[in-house]
Structures are given as C-alpha cells and as structure tokens.
Amino acid sequence: MKHLLGIKQLSAEDIFAILDRAEVMKKEVLQAGKKDSCLSGKCIITLFYENSTRTRLSFELASKYLGATAANITASGSSVVKGETLADTGKTIDEMGADVVVIRHSASGAPHMLSNYTRASVVNAGDGMNEHPTQALLDFMTMREKFGSFDGLKVSIVGDVKHSRVARSNIYGLKKLGADVTVCAPHTLMPAEIERLGVTVTQDADSAVNNADVIMCLRIQLERQKSGLFPSVREYHKLFGINNRRVALAKPNAIVMHPGPVNRGVELSADVADGPQSVIGGQVTNGVCVRMAVLDMLTH
Ligand code: CP
C-alpha cells in the first residue's frame, strides 16, 4: 500500500489486514503505555484545509506514540492564503523529506491530486463529499469488536447521506465485508442512484432502524448546503432523529454510532448520544489505533 486514498481502492483482505494491525496497536501501544518506536526517524505531516478535532488530533497522537516526527499545517497558517497551489505545497513538503502526508480538503479528489506531486505516501483524511477512509476503518473496527463478523450485519445509516464522505466510505467497505446496508434520509439529502451501490434506500426512519445491529447517525452538514434542504431542524429531528423510541426498534444489543461532531437534538437525542448503546467514545479511541496501523503499514 503506497497511499490510502479511499476505501473504494481496498479489498476486503486489505481492510481486515488494517483492522488486525489496529487491534495489535490497541493492545500493545494504547493500552500498554503508549510507546513504540516503529516510526522512529519517519516524518508525518498533517495538512488540514478544513477544521477537525478527532482526525487531526488522532493522526498527531498516533505519529507521536509510534516515535515519528509530526508537524501540522492548516490552510489559514500556510502560504495557500498567498496563492500557493496544492501542487506546489506538495512539492515543498516533499523537499523537506516527509514520509507521509495526511490531507483533509474541501475538494473531492485533492488527496489523489497531491499524490502526483509528492514521493511521500498520501492519506486521505476526508476530501469533500467523496471519502473519509480512516473514519470508515475505525467504524469497522468498532463494529468488529462488538459483533465479531460483518456477514449479514444489518447497518442502518441515517442522516445527511448526500453530503457525507463518511457514508460513502462506509458503504464501499461494508458491502465488500458482507454487511446489509440501509440508508435513510429526506429526498433532498439522498444522492441520486445510491441504490446502485447495493444499499436499501428508505425515507422512513422507523423502518430503517427496525431490527438493525448498527444505527449509524450522520451529521447534518450545514456548511456543505447551499440552500435549505429541509424545512426546520425541529421537523428534521422529529422525522429522522434517532431517539430512544427508535433505538428500541433495533435489536436489543444494537449499537449507536456517530462520526462526530455530534449535533445533540438534531441527528440524535442527547440521551441516545450519551446512553448505554452509544459507542461514540469507543469510536474516537479506535481512531487512534486505526491511524497508528495505517501509518505503520504505509511506512514499512
Ligand atoms: N469524524 C471526523 O472526521 O471528525 P473531525 O471533523 O473532528 O476530524
């Protein structure tokens, strides 16, 4: 693996290899003192052109736990504001000897383009509405920890599917792993022809979560919407929000996931977000493990 640009490019075997490595990282690094030297001498640069809490921090922590040198650039603090192109930024980073560049960008395909201008491995940390592969990998790790297998696992993805790179990466991966995926959103937040990806499509949140093993809530991405795509947040929450009544329609041992950041009272209620079936905190922890695994595998 030279780059990690998307889940679309990975096979089921690739995904399992990353999850296996992430589990080892969890036991041997995160739960046992947070120190390893497998990235000693390596230089990891995180290049975030969009805001982030979880992804950026977990890549930086993963780099540091594994002994790498880590540095970060944000768009506002870089020469992008002076007109520097992504290609020139890539070449500049290259000249400094980076081994891995982790990039988040509002434009779909930006990581793919950057990979043409650097000798470093490129990791997609979220590109526009396209993919967020390490988010999907941490989601898979969290599901596998709970259920052991993906065969026939019933995963219901509810929320702003149209603007969601998390949804796309999860759908690509879950279909390869053997899960049954249902997506649920208002018509205005559902991509055209999404059923071509092999998912069940519904606008009825109750039927979407019925008998589900996993309820994956998606954030309403107001920053990617050019005009109001639903009448009101209150109405959205009533029709599509995940509350305790809807969680009760899923299997008794179902888990509730959310990539974060969470809008309590919009895509899910506060008592569900903080309730016993929520694994949102575990997803964050697994994010560090998956990112350690990816950095390790890309540099060896
Ligand atoms: N899930 C996710 O990508 O969160 P951040 O935007 O905080 O990185």
Side-chain angles (χ1 to χ4, degrees), residues 97-167:
D99 297 288
V100 180
V101 183
V102 179
I103 177 172
R104 170 171 288 190
H105 202 288
S106 59
S108 298
H112 310 67
M113 185 194 154
L114 182 66
S115 69
N116 295 322
Y117 292 97
T118 175
R119 289 187 295 273
S121 292
V122 176
V123 180
N124 181 356
D127 64 325
M129 299 194 293
N130 181 37
E131 281 224 45
H132 192 350
T134 57
Q135 176 67 47
L137 288 164
L138 75 87
D139 293 338
F140 303 155
M141 181 176 180
T142 307
M143 290 179 215
R144 191 167 79 158
E145 279 179 344
K146 170 76 182 178
F147 298 106
S149 157
F150 296 91
D151 278 335
L153 196 71
K154 199 169 176 315
V155 181
S156 296
I157 303 177
V158 183
D160 184 355
V161 181
K162 180 174 181 157
H163 298 98
S164 179
R165 53 198 179 203
V166 175

Side-chain angles (χ1 to χ4, degrees), residues 51-56 104 132 135 259-261:
N51 293 341
S52 167
T53 301
R54 282 147 284 269
T55 313
R56 182 178 149 185
R104 170 171 288 190
H132 192 350
Q135 176 67 47

Side-chain angles (χ1 to χ4, degrees), residues 196-210:
R196 283 182 172 214
L197 299 180
V199 297
T200 303
V201 182
T202 179
Q203 273 73 47
D204 179 42
D206 285 3
S207 72
V209 299
N210 189 45

Side-chain angles (χ1 to χ4, degrees), residues 220-239:
I220 292 296
Q221 302 197 23
L222 295 170
E223 75 275 23
R224 294 192 209 283
Q225 295 185 20
K226 291 185 179 58
S227 59
L229 294 175
F230 54 89
S232 76
V233 165
R234 200 164 149 205
E235 184 182 284
Y236 179 86
H237 183 66
K238 185 163 172 257
L239 294 175

Side-chain angles (χ1 to χ4, degrees), residues 161-217:
V161 181
K162 180 174 181 157
H163 298 98
S164 179
R165 53 198 179 203
V166 175
R168 274 174 196 73
S169 287
N170 263 282
I171 292 167
Y172 293 142
L174 287 168
K175 293 308 297 176
K176 289 176 196 190
L177 298 175
D180 291 333
V181 182
T182 297
V183 291
C184 176
H187 284 292
T188 49
L189 296 179
M190 188 71 84
E193 302 193 1
I194 189 150
E195 56 281 352
R196 283 182 172 214
L197 299 180
V199 297
T200 303
V201 182
T202 179
Q203 273 73 47
D204 179 42
D206 285 3
S207 72
V209 299
N210 189 45
N211 209 29
D213 296 294
V214 177
I215 302 173
M216 183 180 292
C217 309

